[in-house]
Amino acid sequence: MTNGHAMHAQRRTLIVTSWALSALAATLLAAVIYPEATERIYGEARTALLRSQLTLSEDLPEITIGVTGTAADIDRCDGTFTEMITYRVAGVPPTAAAHNNCGGDIMLPWDIGQQFRADGAIYEVTEIREVPKVGSTTDDLIGLRGDLGLQTCYYGQNLMKIVGATKVPAEHAP
């Protein structure tokens, strides 16, 4: 390679590197200036990926119900759903929650009829509710249809997704 070719290759590498660094800087700047929008875009991409995995996989999604506790237990972010003591009110099935970025987002693409595994049983989503993160109370859960409730938040929005799910009898399980 001649000296001129080497300099041309170095110049191309420098230009491509500067474009890549500029794109990275613009992305980081957008994340700092518009964190909710950035989180929402990430969440929409993540949910689309999870929806694709649902379509392509023959396996049912699986969640684990961990400890019974409070928001502090959810904050441990161990990949399990925490059965919420504060959600134990009349007319509400046992309801477990997980942060979206700690495994809770598995349920964001679910629709009514979606089946999933939880602690050795198969459940089917029978109801979906969306309620604000701020200002919601357990009253928003009363009458949730099913044997189990699950809750997580949408990315970059003041919105939670709550599903009611009914246990599928063993003779009807896939």
Side-chain angles (χ1 to χ4, degrees), residues 12-53:
R12 263 198 325 249
T13 302
L14 183 60
I15 289 170
V16 170
T17 302
S18 66
W19 286 347
L21 289 173
S22 295
L24 178 61
T27 302
L28 291 173
L29 183 61
V32 170
I33 295 174
Y34 305 107
E36 287 180 5
T38 303
E39 182 182 4
R40 187 174 188 163
I41 291 167
Y42 168 80
E44 288 170 1
R46 173 83 174 131
T47 301
L49 175 65
L50 290 167
R51 190 177 313 280
S52 294
Q53 289 173 341

mmCIF file of all heavy atoms in Angstrom, residues 12-53:
data_model
loop_
_atom_site.group_PDB
_atom_site.id
_atom_site.type_symbol
_atom_site.label_atom_id
_atom_site.label_comp_id
_atom_site.label_asym_id
_atom_site.label_seq_id
_atom_site.Cartn_x
_atom_site.Cartn_y
_atom_site.Cartn_z
ATOM 1 N N ARG A 12 -10.509 8.047 5.950
ATOM 2 C CA ARG A 12 -11.837 7.422 5.930
ATOM 3 C C ARG A 12 -12.190 6.885 7.309
ATOM 4 O O ARG A 12 -13.311 7.061 7.798
ATOM 5 C CB ARG A 12 -11.861 6.278 4.918
ATOM 6 C CG ARG A 12 -12.419 6.667 3.580
ATOM 7 C CD ARG A 12 -12.821 5.446 2.762
ATOM 8 N NE ARG A 12 -11.960 4.296 2.954
ATOM 9 C CZ ARG A 12 -11.128 3.817 2.037
ATOM 10 N NH1 ARG A 12 -11.050 4.366 0.867
ATOM 11 N NH2 ARG A 12 -10.390 2.769 2.301
ATOM 12 N N THR A 13 -11.255 6.230 7.938
ATOM 13 C CA THR A 13 -11.478 5.691 9.282
ATOM 14 C C THR A 13 -11.790 6.816 10.261
ATOM 15 O O THR A 13 -12.708 6.699 11.083
ATOM 16 C CB THR A 13 -10.247 4.889 9.758
ATOM 17 O OG1 THR A 13 -10.002 3.842 8.833
ATOM 18 C CG2 THR A 13 -10.462 4.319 11.143
ATOM 19 N N LEU A 14 -11.074 7.905 10.169
ATOM 20 C CA LEU A 14 -11.308 9.052 11.036
ATOM 21 C C LEU A 14 -12.689 9.643 10.800
ATOM 22 O O LEU A 14 -13.405 9.967 11.753
ATOM 23 C CB LEU A 14 -10.218 10.109 10.814
ATOM 24 C CG LEU A 14 -10.286 11.351 11.701
ATOM 25 C CD1 LEU A 14 -10.167 10.963 13.172
ATOM 26 C CD2 LEU A 14 -9.178 12.324 11.322
ATOM 27 N N ILE A 15 -13.106 9.742 9.543
ATOM 28 C CA ILE A 15 -14.436 10.295 9.224
ATOM 29 C C ILE A 15 -15.536 9.382 9.763
ATOM 30 O O ILE A 15 -16.478 9.846 10.411
ATOM 31 C CB ILE A 15 -14.574 10.512 7.695
ATOM 32 C CG1 ILE A 15 -13.688 11.681 7.255
ATOM 33 C CG2 ILE A 15 -16.033 10.768 7.313
ATOM 34 C CD1 ILE A 15 -13.561 11.821 5.752
ATOM 35 N N VAL A 16 -15.427 8.079 9.514
ATOM 36 C CA VAL A 16 -16.436 7.130 9.996
ATOM 37 C C VAL A 16 -16.490 7.150 11.521
ATOM 38 O O VAL A 16 -17.568 7.164 12.123
ATOM 39 C CB VAL A 16 -16.157 5.713 9.456
ATOM 40 C CG1 VAL A 16 -17.038 4.675 10.148
ATOM 41 C CG2 VAL A 16 -16.358 5.679 7.947
ATOM 42 N N THR A 17 -15.338 7.174 12.159
ATOM 43 C CA THR A 17 -15.287 7.230 13.621
ATOM 44 C C THR A 17 -15.927 8.511 14.140
ATOM 45 O O THR A 17 -16.687 8.484 15.112
ATOM 46 C CB THR A 17 -13.835 7.110 14.123
ATOM 47 O OG1 THR A 17 -13.279 5.891 13.636
ATOM 48 C CG2 THR A 17 -13.768 7.134 15.632
ATOM 49 N N SER A 18 -15.668 9.627 13.497
ATOM 50 C CA SER A 18 -16.256 10.894 13.951
ATOM 51 C C SER A 18 -17.767 10.889 13.764
ATOM 52 O O SER A 18 -18.499 11.409 14.592
ATOM 53 C CB SER A 18 -15.610 12.089 13.252
ATOM 54 O OG SER A 18 -15.899 12.082 11.879
ATOM 55 N N TRP A 19 -18.266 10.283 12.663
ATOM 56 C CA TRP A 19 -19.715 10.173 12.481
ATOM 57 C C TRP A 19 -20.327 9.313 13.593
ATOM 58 O O TRP A 19 -21.350 9.661 14.168
ATOM 59 C CB TRP A 19 -20.044 9.553 11.136
ATOM 60 C CG TRP A 19 -19.847 10.455 9.949
ATOM 61 C CD1 TRP A 19 -19.649 11.808 9.942
ATOM 62 C CD2 TRP A 19 -19.805 10.049 8.587
ATOM 63 N NE1 TRP A 19 -19.489 12.263 8.674
ATOM 64 C CE2 TRP A 19 -19.580 11.201 7.807
ATOM 65 C CE3 TRP A 19 -19.926 8.824 7.939
ATOM 66 C CZ2 TRP A 19 -19.502 11.165 6.423
ATOM 67 C CZ3 TRP A 19 -19.843 8.791 6.559
ATOM 68 C CH2 TRP A 19 -19.631 9.947 5.813
ATOM 69 N N ALA A 20 -19.687 8.199 13.888
ATOM 70 C CA ALA A 20 -20.199 7.304 14.923
ATOM 71 C C ALA A 20 -20.201 7.991 16.284
ATOM 72 O O ALA A 20 -21.178 7.901 17.038
ATOM 73 C CB ALA A 20 -19.373 6.023 14.974
ATOM 74 N N LEU A 21 -19.129 8.696 16.598
ATOM 75 C CA LEU A 21 -19.067 9.413 17.877
ATOM 76 C C LEU A 21 -20.095 10.538 17.917
ATOM 77 O O LEU A 21 -20.711 10.791 18.969
ATOM 78 C CB LEU A 21 -17.657 9.948 18.127
ATOM 79 C CG LEU A 21 -16.605 8.887 18.450
ATOM 80 C CD1 LEU A 21 -15.213 9.521 18.516
ATOM 81 C CD2 LEU A 21 -16.944 8.180 19.747
ATOM 82 N N SER A 22 -20.322 11.203 16.792
ATOM 83 C CA SER A 22 -21.342 12.262 16.734
ATOM 84 C C SER A 22 -22.726 11.680 16.957
ATOM 85 O O SER A 22 -23.545 12.257 17.685
ATOM 86 C CB SER A 22 -21.289 12.978 15.389
ATOM 87 O OG SER A 22 -20.076 13.666 15.234
ATOM 88 N N ALA A 23 -23.010 10.535 16.348
ATOM 89 C CA ALA A 23 -24.307 9.886 16.544
ATOM 90 C C ALA A 23 -24.485 9.457 17.994
ATOM 91 O O ALA A 23 -25.561 9.638 18.578
ATOM 92 C CB ALA A 23 -24.442 8.686 15.610
ATOM 93 N N LEU A 24 -23.444 8.906 18.590
ATOM 94 C CA LEU A 24 -23.501 8.512 19.997
ATOM 95 C C LEU A 24 -23.724 9.726 20.888
ATOM 96 O O LEU A 24 -24.553 9.690 21.801
ATOM 97 C CB LEU A 24 -22.213 7.785 20.397
ATOM 98 C CG LEU A 24 -22.106 7.356 21.863
ATOM 99 C CD1 LEU A 24 -23.218 6.381 22.226
ATOM 100 C CD2 LEU A 24 -20.745 6.741 22.121
ATOM 101 N N ALA A 25 -23.011 10.812 20.613
ATOM 102 C CA ALA A 25 -23.174 12.040 21.403
ATOM 103 C C ALA A 25 -24.594 12.578 21.267
ATOM 104 O O ALA A 25 -25.200 13.005 22.253
ATOM 105 C CB ALA A 25 -22.152 13.090 20.971
ATOM 106 N N ALA A 26 -25.149 12.552 20.061
ATOM 107 C CA ALA A 26 -26.515 13.040 19.849
ATOM 108 C C ALA A 26 -27.518 12.174 20.615
ATOM 109 O O ALA A 26 -28.463 12.687 21.227
ATOM 110 C CB ALA A 26 -26.845 13.048 18.362
ATOM 111 N N THR A 27 -27.297 10.866 20.611
ATOM 112 C CA THR A 27 -28.175 9.951 21.343
ATOM 113 C C THR A 27 -28.098 10.213 22.843
ATOM 114 O O THR A 27 -29.128 10.281 23.528
ATOM 115 C CB THR A 27 -27.798 8.489 21.038
ATOM 116 O OG1 THR A 27 -27.896 8.281 19.632
ATOM 117 C CG2 THR A 27 -28.702 7.519 21.764
ATOM 118 N N LEU A 28 -26.902 10.362 23.365
ATOM 119 C CA LEU A 28 -26.737 10.638 24.798
ATOM 120 C C LEU A 28 -27.340 11.983 25.172
ATOM 121 O O LEU A 28 -27.972 12.123 26.221
ATOM 122 C CB LEU A 28 -25.256 10.578 25.180
ATOM 123 C CG LEU A 28 -24.619 9.197 25.124
ATOM 124 C CD1 LEU A 28 -23.115 9.290 25.354
ATOM 125 C CD2 LEU A 28 -25.261 8.262 26.128
ATOM 126 N N LEU A 29 -27.160 12.983 24.319
ATOM 127 C CA LEU A 29 -27.738 14.302 24.573
ATOM 128 C C LEU A 29 -29.257 14.220 24.591
ATOM 129 O O LEU A 29 -29.909 14.798 25.468
ATOM 130 C CB LEU A 29 -27.259 15.305 23.519
ATOM 131 C CG LEU A 29 -27.719 16.742 23.699
ATOM 132 C CD1 LEU A 29 -27.215 17.304 25.031
ATOM 133 C CD2 LEU A 29 -27.230 17.602 22.544
ATOM 134 N N ALA A 30 -29.832 13.490 23.640
ATOM 135 C CA ALA A 30 -31.289 13.322 23.608
ATOM 136 C C ALA A 30 -31.773 12.630 24.882
ATOM 137 O O ALA A 30 -32.809 12.999 25.443
ATOM 138 C CB ALA A 30 -31.702 12.522 22.377
ATOM 139 N N ALA A 31 -31.020 11.632 25.349
ATOM 140 C CA ALA A 31 -31.406 10.920 26.563
ATOM 141 C C ALA A 31 -31.374 11.835 27.779
ATOM 142 O O ALA A 31 -32.191 11.697 28.692
ATOM 143 C CB ALA A 31 -30.499 9.712 26.786
ATOM 144 N N VAL A 32 -30.450 12.787 27.804
ATOM 145 C CA VAL A 32 -30.351 13.727 28.926
ATOM 146 C C VAL A 32 -31.450 14.790 28.832
ATOM 147 O O VAL A 32 -32.097 15.117 29.816
ATOM 148 C CB VAL A 32 -28.954 14.381 28.964
ATOM 149 C CG1 VAL A 32 -28.905 15.528 29.951
ATOM 150 C CG2 VAL A 32 -27.902 13.345 29.313
ATOM 151 N N ILE A 33 -31.666 15.303 27.639
ATOM 152 C CA ILE A 33 -32.647 16.379 27.467
ATOM 153 C C ILE A 33 -34.078 15.845 27.481
ATOM 154 O O ILE A 33 -34.974 16.488 28.015
ATOM 155 C CB ILE A 33 -32.363 17.140 26.151
ATOM 156 C CG1 ILE A 33 -31.008 17.852 26.248
ATOM 157 C CG2 ILE A 33 -33.460 18.153 25.852
ATOM 158 C CD1 ILE A 33 -30.562 18.505 24.953
ATOM 159 N N TYR A 34 -34.291 14.670 26.896
ATOM 160 C CA TYR A 34 -35.629 14.088 26.778
ATOM 161 C C TYR A 34 -35.648 12.681 27.374
ATOM 162 O O TYR A 34 -35.877 11.704 26.663
ATOM 163 C CB TYR A 34 -36.059 14.024 25.314
ATOM 164 C CG TYR A 34 -35.993 15.343 24.594
ATOM 165 C CD1 TYR A 34 -35.004 15.597 23.648
ATOM 166 C CD2 TYR A 34 -36.921 16.345 24.858
ATOM 167 C CE1 TYR A 34 -34.939 16.807 22.980
ATOM 168 C CE2 TYR A 34 -36.863 17.563 24.200
ATOM 169 C CZ TYR A 34 -35.876 17.788 23.260
ATOM 170 O OH TYR A 34 -35.817 18.984 22.603
ATOM 171 N N PRO A 35 -35.447 12.554 28.680
ATOM 172 C CA PRO A 35 -35.329 11.198 29.249
ATOM 173 C C PRO A 35 -36.607 10.374 29.111
ATOM 174 O O PRO A 35 -36.538 9.179 28.830
ATOM 175 C CB PRO A 35 -34.964 11.449 30.711
ATOM 176 C CG PRO A 35 -35.397 12.844 30.990
ATOM 177 C CD PRO A 35 -35.283 13.584 29.690
ATOM 178 N N GLU A 36 -37.778 10.980 29.318
ATOM 179 C CA GLU A 36 -39.018 10.203 29.215
ATOM 180 C C GLU A 36 -39.249 9.740 27.789
ATOM 181 O O GLU A 36 -39.664 8.606 27.562
ATOM 182 C CB GLU A 36 -40.204 11.015 29.731
ATOM 183 C CG GLU A 36 -40.202 11.143 31.239
ATOM 184 C CD GLU A 36 -41.383 11.944 31.761
ATOM 185 O OE1 GLU A 36 -42.265 12.329 30.974
ATOM 186 O OE2 GLU A 36 -41.413 12.180 32.979
ATOM 187 N N ALA A 37 -38.992 10.628 26.821
ATOM 188 C CA ALA A 37 -39.163 10.245 25.417
ATOM 189 C C ALA A 37 -38.189 9.135 25.051
ATOM 190 O O ALA A 37 -38.548 8.173 24.362
ATOM 191 C CB ALA A 37 -38.972 11.448 24.503
ATOM 192 N N THR A 38 -36.958 9.244 25.514
ATOM 193 C CA THR A 38 -35.951 8.216 25.239
ATOM 194 C C THR A 38 -36.367 6.893 25.869
ATOM 195 O O THR A 38 -36.281 5.841 25.234
ATOM 196 C CB THR A 38 -34.574 8.658 25.776
ATOM 197 O OG1 THR A 38 -34.231 9.908 25.181
ATOM 198 C CG2 THR A 38 -33.509 7.628 25.470
ATOM 199 N N GLU A 39 -36.849 6.940 27.113
ATOM 200 C CA GLU A 39 -37.290 5.727 27.792
ATOM 201 C C GLU A 39 -38.490 5.114 27.071
ATOM 202 O O GLU A 39 -38.587 3.906 26.914
ATOM 203 C CB GLU A 39 -37.653 6.028 29.252
ATOM 204 C CG GLU A 39 -38.065 4.799 30.018
ATOM 205 C CD GLU A 39 -38.474 5.076 31.458
ATOM 206 O OE1 GLU A 39 -38.524 6.248 31.872
ATOM 207 O OE2 GLU A 39 -38.757 4.097 32.153
ATOM 208 N N ARG A 40 -39.398 5.966 26.598
ATOM 209 C CA ARG A 40 -40.579 5.472 25.895
ATOM 210 C C ARG A 40 -40.182 4.795 24.581
ATOM 211 O O ARG A 40 -40.685 3.731 24.245
ATOM 212 C CB ARG A 40 -41.554 6.612 25.635
ATOM 213 C CG ARG A 40 -42.861 6.153 25.060
ATOM 214 C CD ARG A 40 -43.836 7.287 24.962
ATOM 215 N NE ARG A 40 -45.133 6.768 24.577
ATOM 216 C CZ ARG A 40 -46.239 7.430 24.710
ATOM 217 N NH1 ARG A 40 -46.222 8.640 25.225
ATOM 218 N NH2 ARG A 40 -47.373 6.905 24.336
ATOM 219 N N ILE A 41 -39.273 5.407 23.840
ATOM 220 C CA ILE A 41 -38.809 4.817 22.585
ATOM 221 C C ILE A 41 -38.135 3.475 22.857
ATOM 222 O O ILE A 41 -38.380 2.483 22.165
ATOM 223 C CB ILE A 41 -37.863 5.784 21.843
ATOM 224 C CG1 ILE A 41 -38.654 6.980 21.328
ATOM 225 C CG2 ILE A 41 -37.144 5.071 20.695
ATOM 226 C CD1 ILE A 41 -37.784 8.138 20.856
ATOM 227 N N TYR A 42 -37.289 3.434 23.901
ATOM 228 C CA TYR A 42 -36.649 2.178 24.278
ATOM 229 C C TYR A 42 -37.723 1.133 24.622
ATOM 230 O O TYR A 42 -37.646 -0.026 24.191
ATOM 231 C CB TYR A 42 -35.715 2.366 25.476
ATOM 232 C CG TYR A 42 -35.278 1.051 26.070
ATOM 233 C CD1 TYR A 42 -34.258 0.310 25.475
ATOM 234 C CD2 TYR A 42 -35.919 0.517 27.190
ATOM 235 C CE1 TYR A 42 -33.877 -0.921 25.996
ATOM 236 C CE2 TYR A 42 -35.543 -0.708 27.711
ATOM 237 C CZ TYR A 42 -34.529 -1.422 27.110
ATOM 238 O OH TYR A 42 -34.167 -2.647 27.613
ATOM 239 N N GLY A 43 -38.719 1.537 25.410
ATOM 240 C CA GLY A 43 -39.775 0.613 25.826
ATOM 241 C C GLY A 43 -40.581 0.078 24.656
ATOM 242 O O GLY A 43 -40.939 -1.101 24.623
ATOM 243 N N GLU A 44 -40.863 0.937 23.681
ATOM 244 C CA GLU A 44 -41.599 0.483 22.503
ATOM 245 C C GLU A 44 -40.772 -0.524 21.711
ATOM 246 O O GLU A 44 -41.309 -1.532 21.226
ATOM 247 C CB GLU A 44 -41.987 1.680 21.634
ATOM 248 C CG GLU A 44 -43.085 2.515 22.275
ATOM 249 C CD GLU A 44 -43.335 3.846 21.572
ATOM 250 O OE1 GLU A 44 -42.661 4.140 20.557
ATOM 251 O OE2 GLU A 44 -44.219 4.586 22.045
ATOM 252 N N ALA A 45 -39.474 -0.282 21.604
ATOM 253 C CA ALA A 45 -38.600 -1.225 20.899
ATOM 254 C C ALA A 45 -38.512 -2.540 21.666
ATOM 255 O O ALA A 45 -38.588 -3.629 21.084
ATOM 256 C CB ALA A 45 -37.214 -0.618 20.699
ATOM 257 N N ARG A 46 -38.364 -2.453 22.984
ATOM 258 C CA ARG A 46 -38.269 -3.650 23.823
ATOM 259 C C ARG A 46 -39.562 -4.464 23.752
ATOM 260 O O ARG A 46 -39.534 -5.686 23.633
ATOM 261 C CB ARG A 46 -37.965 -3.231 25.269
ATOM 262 C CG ARG A 46 -37.993 -4.348 26.273
ATOM 263 C CD ARG A 46 -36.703 -5.118 26.322
ATOM 264 N NE ARG A 46 -36.802 -6.078 27.413
ATOM 265 C CZ ARG A 46 -36.507 -7.351 27.287
ATOM 266 N NH1 ARG A 46 -36.015 -7.815 26.168
ATOM 267 N NH2 ARG A 46 -36.637 -8.176 28.295
ATOM 268 N N THR A 47 -40.716 -3.784 23.794
ATOM 269 C CA THR A 47 -42.005 -4.469 23.721
ATOM 270 C C THR A 47 -42.181 -5.131 22.358
ATOM 271 O O THR A 47 -42.686 -6.255 22.265
ATOM 272 C CB THR A 47 -43.153 -3.487 24.018
ATOM 273 O OG1 THR A 47 -42.945 -2.930 25.327
ATOM 274 C CG2 THR A 47 -44.504 -4.173 23.988
ATOM 275 N N ALA A 48 -41.746 -4.467 21.288
ATOM 276 C CA ALA A 48 -41.818 -5.070 19.950
ATOM 277 C C ALA A 48 -40.961 -6.334 19.887
ATOM 278 O O ALA A 48 -41.370 -7.347 19.298
ATOM 279 C CB ALA A 48 -41.381 -4.065 18.893
ATOM 280 N N LEU A 49 -39.788 -6.280 20.493
ATOM 281 C CA LEU A 49 -38.917 -7.454 20.539
ATOM 282 C C LEU A 49 -39.590 -8.591 21.313
ATOM 283 O O LEU A 49 -39.596 -9.745 20.864
ATOM 284 C CB LEU A 49 -37.575 -7.104 21.181
ATOM 285 C CG LEU A 49 -36.607 -8.267 21.399
ATOM 286 C CD1 LEU A 49 -36.162 -8.858 20.067
ATOM 287 C CD2 LEU A 49 -35.408 -7.807 22.212
ATOM 288 N N LEU A 50 -40.171 -8.282 22.469
ATOM 289 C CA LEU A 50 -40.854 -9.304 23.261
ATOM 290 C C LEU A 50 -42.046 -9.881 22.504
ATOM 291 O O LEU A 50 -42.306 -11.084 22.563
ATOM 292 C CB LEU A 50 -41.302 -8.718 24.607
ATOM 293 C CG LEU A 50 -40.180 -8.390 25.589
ATOM 294 C CD1 LEU A 50 -40.706 -7.542 26.740
ATOM 295 C CD2 LEU A 50 -39.522 -9.658 26.109
ATOM 296 N N ARG A 51 -42.783 -9.024 21.772
ATOM 297 C CA ARG A 51 -43.919 -9.489 20.975
ATOM 298 C C ARG A 51 -43.430 -10.456 19.882
ATOM 299 O O ARG A 51 -44.045 -11.485 19.631
ATOM 300 C CB ARG A 51 -44.659 -8.306 20.353
ATOM 301 C CG ARG A 51 -45.989 -8.685 19.714
ATOM 302 C CD ARG A 51 -46.758 -7.499 19.164
ATOM 303 N NE ARG A 51 -46.861 -6.367 20.044
ATOM 304 C CZ ARG A 51 -47.717 -6.222 21.063
ATOM 305 N NH1 ARG A 51 -48.548 -7.192 21.339
ATOM 306 N NH2 ARG A 51 -47.741 -5.132 21.796
ATOM 307 N N SER A 52 -42.313 -10.143 19.260
ATOM 308 C CA SER A 52 -41.738 -11.026 18.238
ATOM 309 C C SER A 52 -41.353 -12.363 18.849
ATOM 310 O O SER A 52 -41.578 -13.423 18.248
ATOM 311 C CB SER A 52 -40.503 -10.388 17.606
ATOM 312 O OG SER A 52 -40.856 -9.251 16.883
ATOM 313 N N GLN A 53 -40.756 -12.328 20.026
ATOM 314 C CA GLN A 53 -40.369 -13.571 20.695
ATOM 315 C C GLN A 53 -41.601 -14.425 20.999
ATOM 316 O O GLN A 53 -41.556 -15.647 20.865
ATOM 317 C CB GLN A 53 -39.599 -13.272 21.978
ATOM 318 C CG GLN A 53 -38.217 -12.729 21.727
ATOM 319 C CD GLN A 53 -37.523 -12.275 23.008
ATOM 320 O OE1 GLN A 53 -38.150 -12.033 24.025
ATOM 321 N NE2 GLN A 53 -36.201 -12.154 22.929
#
